[in-house]
Amino acid sequence: MREVAIIGVGMTKFGELWGASFRDLGIEAGMKAMNDANLTGSEVDGMFVGNMSSGRFINQHHVGALIADYAGMASRNVPATRVEAAGASGAMAFRQGVMAVASGMHDIVVVGGAEKMTDVNDDATNSILDSATDQQWEASMGVTFASLNAMIARRCIHDGIATREQIASVAVNSHAHGALNPNAQFRKAINLDTVLRSSVVADPLTVFDCAPISDGAAAVVLCPAEMAKKYTDKPVKVVASAQASDTLALFQRNDITTFAATVAAAKRAYSIAKIGPKDIAVAEVHDHFTIEGILALQDLGFFERGEAGKAVMDGQAAVGGKVAVNTSGGLKACGHPIGATGVAQVVEITKQLRGDADKRQVPNARYGLTQSVGGTGSAVIVNIMEAV
Amino acid sequence: MREVAIIGVGMTKFGELWGASFRDLGIEAGMKAMNDANLTGSEVDGMFVGNMSSGRFINQHHVGALIADYAGMASRNVPATRVEAAGASGAMAFRQGVMAVASGMHDIVVVGGAEKMTDVNDDATNSILDSATDQQWEASMGVTFASLNAMIARRCIHDGIATREQIASVAVNSHAHGALNPNAQFRKAINLDTVLRSSVVADPLTVFDCAPISDGAAAVVLCPAEMAKKYTDKPVKVVASAQASDTLALFQRNDITTFAATVAAAKRAYSIAKIGPKDIAVAEVHDHFTIEGILALQDLGFFERGEAGKAVMDGQAAVGGKVAVNTSGGLKACGHPIGATGVAQVVEITKQLRGDADKRQVPNARYGLTQSVGGTGSAVIVNIMEAV
């Protein structure tokens, strides 16, 4: 198996981008990543696209071929593969890209993620998002992702895993970082009161506990590690990419105060990378809802069960803390254009490990991690990257 | 790169299966494939699912996690990845499975493909299918897949590449084979008159030039070739899996009487396998529309440009001919449950190479090929398998 390196990254601004189409966004991110890798484009021999639901958001399936076409890759018949796993779509596309290079079947691979969510109305958006729950046993009963996460939050509060204030502090941490990221959808620091006193979405979660609806795209370029220095002075190595599943429906779990798929994917990733959670300096985790941020920090092994919330309140998840979490602003403040998110997490970690993260830079970071979640922990991908 | 073998195959009957849900179909095919490979299930460490649009056909995204869950794989957190490429979804999932085993990242991988198309009305079906054309420049102008293929057929007739009767003979060939396949949707032989005199869909194509709307699923089990004999006496080796793209919209091509992506994917596949078209004894090709069957036979190199139609008329694509094409019945007669199709093609070739194809068996076949198309030739996968 060949070692794989990241040689270029790029992303669009995340937000309500009414002036840009899905294809505009995908191409902008891809071009930025290829420029960052000093490629002309003719070196690329494989593409992967993470996308959740262009089929419903913009009535367009087959977006692998679409992006290959508009990126000018069709003239050389460069293969492009679309991957979907709800909120983990981008991360899963990234893992397929890693596999493609590791296998020897491809050399220079562009992985892009994109979603254009703001071209439909709110009812349509909710119906699309909820179609990633178990349609037969959850969505058709009226369950939404917000209500599922509210149930998790209530159970965590009941079991003493985190207080309401500690859960809310995840949003405060993400917004503080997002304020420093020029690509973030929300660039405004907030305090606990803002979260606790805003409109309730699904009790106890308020609108500030939930990531926004976003447009955006992100891309990375991969190649065999031994070829990386040909393209960049600062390659970043992918030392592990692990994936795990859990039941699609939340009610089928024994314990909803942990995501077993995060635990399993993290265990596999640490084992492959031969490191532990204490070695991770910077992490991007899936805070689609603040409570997921709490679960991530304990399931990834950064903090003991019941300690994650306090740690975030104490600044241990900020730059300068024990592990810098969501320096991009996370899903909460950077935004969550679904298919793009997992790739954007890798973009942020790559920037951190190259020392290119400007005002939000974590000093001397050697290892960085991304955790991406599809559904309510039904599919999780954990990637570990290393500065070289 | 590790060599990859197919150790088990299974599929549901294809057709209007109103008594079975998407998950029922996926599980039935997967269980059959695992039984065929003599697996209990606990050996499986990776899954791939090909599906075009469960998000619209059954309002369910994230079907990788769904199938892993209902297959009992969630308890061991076995990762599952959904791949979409319109009509090539199943084939692309298969190629990702091959990559996963070749890379060393997975050992025993189940690749499934499934689509449940008959739960929505005809208008919805057409809208979903047409969303795999270029939405912005084709579908929104009223173009359908049938009309695109009718344009290709007209041009081929105009340029003397095939006559109307020769194009129709593709359906006759597929139906003759489908009559012998217990899993086929249509098990009735037809003659040229049936095709030529049935209702026009898009002139010159009639309803018998078009594959049906179908429900169904298919699955295969992959493992490293060196482990294959542990599970089966008759493994089949995957000697090449190649993929190529072309423009999403048909009007952007220089020549619509050939699919450049088929030519490119076939060239790559033959090169990897170190064989040529004359070595292929049996092939499953993408005859979603009869004209595509003609293009496939010339683009894969089985017959010269302008000779494929005559060859089919002369029985050279039947069992006993130069190359046995669509012994399953093809998309035309076996059926086309979109995400399942590319996997079902591999199921048929595997059965042929193992000598398990009963009344439609091609004698002494060593090499078999599958060709799968997404859109109007916008993404093509060519796989080559070898009996061992």
Side-chain angles (χ1 to χ4, degrees):
Chain A
M1 189 156 56
R2 301 198 292 185
E3 287 192 315
V4 180
I6 299 164
I7 55 171
V9 298
M11 66 183 282
T12 67
K13 197 175 167 4
F14 282 4
E16 292 184 87
L17 309 176
W18 293 328
S21 70
F22 177 88
R23 57 191 83 185
D24 293 338
L25 295 169
I27 299 312
E28 180 186 333
M31 290 299 171
K32 282 179 174 171
M34 287 196 288
N35 285 339
D36 187 46
N38 300 302
L39 300 180
T40 61
S42 64
E43 309 85 347
V44 176
D45 69 283
M47 298 179 73
F48 290 84
V49 176
N51 169 261
M52 176 179 165
S53 189
S54 60
R56 290 178 67 177
F57 283 122
I58 59 165
N59 198 26
Q60 176 72 68
H61 282 91
H62 210 190
V63 292
L66 173 76
I67 296 292
D69 182 3
Y70 279 75
M73 298 291 170
S75 57
R76 288 188 303 110
N77 308 114
V78 175
T81 300
R82 177 214 167 184
V83 175
E84 184 264 329
S89 298
M92 214 175 271
F94 175 77
R95 185 165 185 265
Q96 294 312 118
V98 171
M99 222 177 248
V101 175
S103 70
M105 289 170 77
H106 290 279
D107 285 329
I108 311 285
V109 166
V110 180
V111 180
E115 206 85 46
K116 177 73 189 169
M117 301 177 71
T118 64
D119 281 356
V120 295
N121 64 33
D122 292 349
D123 280 352
T125 303
N126 284 327
S127 166
I128 295 166
L129 297 180
D130 295 339
S131 71
T133 68
D134 189 320
Q135 172 61 23
Q136 197 166 307
W137 300 107
E138 293 185 319
S140 64
M141 311 298 171
V143 168
T144 65
F145 271 112
S147 66
L148 289 167
N149 280 279
M151 287 188 248
I152 296 172
R154 282 190 165 274
R155 187 76 211 188
C156 284
I157 293 169
H158 178 271
D159 288 0
I161 286 169
T163 66
R164 173 68 187 101
E165 289 72 21
Q166 288 169 353
I167 293 169
S169 72
V170 169
V172 175
N173 184 60
S174 289
H175 270 261
H177 291 149
L180 305 175
N181 181 2
N183 289 322
Q185 184 161 359
F186 300 131
R187 300 199 57 199
K188 193 171 175 223
I190 57 169
N191 59 31
L192 269 187
D193 262 12
T194 314
V195 185
L196 298 173
R197 293 185 186 180
S198 60
S199 309
V200 171
V201 173
D203 190 38
L205 304 179
T206 72
V207 71
F208 273 91
D209 287 286
C210 311
I213 302 297
S214 318
D215 303 322
V220 304
V221 185
L222 302 172
C223 83
E226 76 265 18
M227 291 168 59
K229 287 279 184 183
K230 192 172 146 192
Y231 299 104
T232 177
D233 294 336
K234 292 191 280 190
V236 166
K237 216 191 302 185
V238 183
V239 291
S241 183
Q243 183 181 330
S245 298
D246 202 347
T247 61
L248 190 57
L250 189 66
F251 73 86
Q252 293 187 314
R253 313 268 174 85
N254 293 324
D255 182 355
I256 65 166
T257 66
T258 176
F259 281 168
T262 301
V263 174
K267 191 178 164 192
R268 288 171 194 167
Y270 290 135
S271 161
I272 295 166
K274 300 187 178 66
I275 62 167
K278 67 176 186 330
D279 299 306
I280 304 296
V282 54
E284 290 284 307
V285 310
H286 194 90
D287 61 341
H288 188 174
F289 297 92
T290 46
I291 184 62
E292 291 189 292
I294 298 287
L295 296 195
L297 296 187
Q298 64 180 35
D299 291 338
L300 292 166
F302 295 145
F303 302 102
E304 293 295 315
R305 190 174 160 91
E307 300 296 322
K310 183 173 179 301
V312 178
M313 288 280 266
D314 292 349
Q316 292 303 311
V319 176
K322 186 180 171 195
V323 51
V325 176
N326 290 353
T327 57
S328 70
L331 283 61
K332 176 65 202 80
C334 189
H336 184 29
I338 313 177
T341 297
V343 182
Q345 291 179 314
V346 176
V347 170
E348 177 68 11
I349 294 298
T350 302
K351 284 185 181 173
Q352 288 285 357
L353 297 181
R354 299 197 310 202
D356 292 342
D358 297 327
K359 291 181 185 169
R360 56 193 196 282
Q361 181 66 48
V362 176
N364 306 314
R366 179 174 171 191
Y367 290 105
L369 175 150
T370 64
Q371 178 243 18
S372 310
V373 177
T376 39
S378 308
V380 174
I381 289 119
V382 172
N383 298 305
I384 301 177
M385 273 68 72
E386 182 183 8
V388 283
Chain B
M1 189 155 57
R2 302 198 293 186
E3 288 192 314
V4 180
I6 298 164
I7 55 171
V9 298
M11 66 183 281
T12 67
K13 195 173 168 6
F14 282 3
E16 293 184 86
L17 309 175
W18 293 328
S21 70
F22 177 89
R23 58 191 82 185
D24 293 338
L25 295 170
I27 299 313
E28 180 186 334
M31 291 299 173
K32 282 178 173 171
M34 288 197 288
N35 286 338
D36 187 46
N38 301 302
L39 300 180
T40 62
S42 63
E43 307 86 346
V44 176
D45 69 284
M47 298 178 73
F48 290 84
V49 176
N51 170 262
M52 178 181 165
S53 189
S54 59
R56 289 178 67 177
F57 283 121
I58 60 165
N59 199 25
Q60 176 72 69
H61 283 90
H62 209 189
V63 293
L66 173 76
I67 296 292
D69 182 2
Y70 278 75
M73 299 290 170
S75 57
R76 289 188 303 110
N77 307 112
V78 176
T81 300
R82 177 213 167 186
V83 175
E84 184 263 329
S89 298
M92 214 175 271
F94 175 77
R95 185 166 185 263
Q96 293 311 116
V98 170
M99 221 176 248
V101 176
S103 71
M105 287 171 80
H106 290 280
D107 286 329
I108 311 286
V109 166
V110 180
V111 180
E115 206 84 49
K116 176 72 188 170
M117 300 176 72
T118 64
D119 282 356
V120 296
N121 64 32
D122 292 348
D123 280 352
T125 303
N126 284 327
S127 166
I128 295 166
L129 297 181
D130 295 339
S131 71
T133 67
D134 188 320
Q135 172 59 24
Q136 198 165 307
W137 299 106
E138 293 185 319
S140 65
M141 311 299 171
V143 168
T144 65
F145 271 113
S147 67
L148 289 167
N149 280 279
M151 288 188 249
I152 296 171
R154 283 190 164 275
R155 187 75 212 187
C156 285
I157 293 168
H158 178 271
D159 288 0
I161 286 170
T163 65
R164 174 68 187 102
E165 289 71 22
Q166 288 169 353
I167 293 170
S169 71
V170 170
V172 176
N173 185 59
S174 290
H175 270 261
H177 291 148
L180 306 174
N181 181 2
N183 289 320
Q185 184 161 359
F186 300 130
R187 300 198 57 198
K188 194 172 176 222
I190 57 170
N191 59 31
L192 269 187
D193 261 11
T194 315
V195 185
L196 298 172
R197 293 185 187 179
S198 61
S199 309
V200 171
V201 174
D203 190 38
L205 304 179
T206 73
V207 71
F208 273 90
D209 286 287
C210 312
I213 303 297
S214 318
D215 304 322
V220 303
V221 185
L222 301 173
C223 83
E226 76 264 20
M227 291 168 60
K229 286 279 184 183
K230 192 172 146 192
Y231 300 103
T232 177
D233 294 337
K234 293 190 280 188
V236 165
K237 218 193 297 186
V238 183
V239 291
S241 183
Q243 181 181 331
S245 299
D246 202 346
T247 61
L248 189 57
L250 188 67
F251 72 85
Q252 292 187 316
R253 314 269 174 85
N254 293 323
D255 182 355
I256 65 168
T257 65
T258 176
F259 281 169
T262 300
V263 174
K267 191 178 164 191
R268 287 170 195 167
Y270 291 134
S271 162
I272 295 166
K274 299 187 180 66
I275 62 167
K278 66 175 188 331
D279 300 307
I280 305 295
V282 53
E284 290 283 309
V285 309
H286 195 90
D287 61 341
H288 188 174
F289 298 91
T290 46
I291 184 61
E292 291 188 294
I294 299 286
L295 296 195
L297 296 187
Q298 64 180 38
D299 291 340
L300 292 165
F302 296 145
F303 302 101
E304 292 296 315
R305 190 174 161 91
E307 301 296 322
K310 183 174 179 303
V312 178
M313 288 278 266
D314 292 349
Q316 291 303 312
V319 176
K322 186 179 170 195
V323 52
V325 177
N326 289 354
T327 57
S328 71
L331 284 62
K332 176 65 202 80
C334 188
H336 184 30
I338 312 176
T341 297
V343 182
Q345 292 178 312
V346 176
V347 170
E348 178 69 10
I349 294 299
T350 302
K351 285 185 180 173
Q352 288 285 359
L353 298 180
R354 298 197 311 202
D356 292 343
D358 298 329
K359 291 181 185 168
R360 58 193 194 282
Q361 181 66 48
V362 177
N364 306 315
R366 178 173 172 193
Y367 289 105
L369 176 151
T370 64
Q371 178 244 17
S372 310
V373 176
T376 39
S378 308
V380 174
I381 289 116
V382 172
N383 298 305
I384 301 176
M385 273 68 73
E386 182 183 9
V388 283

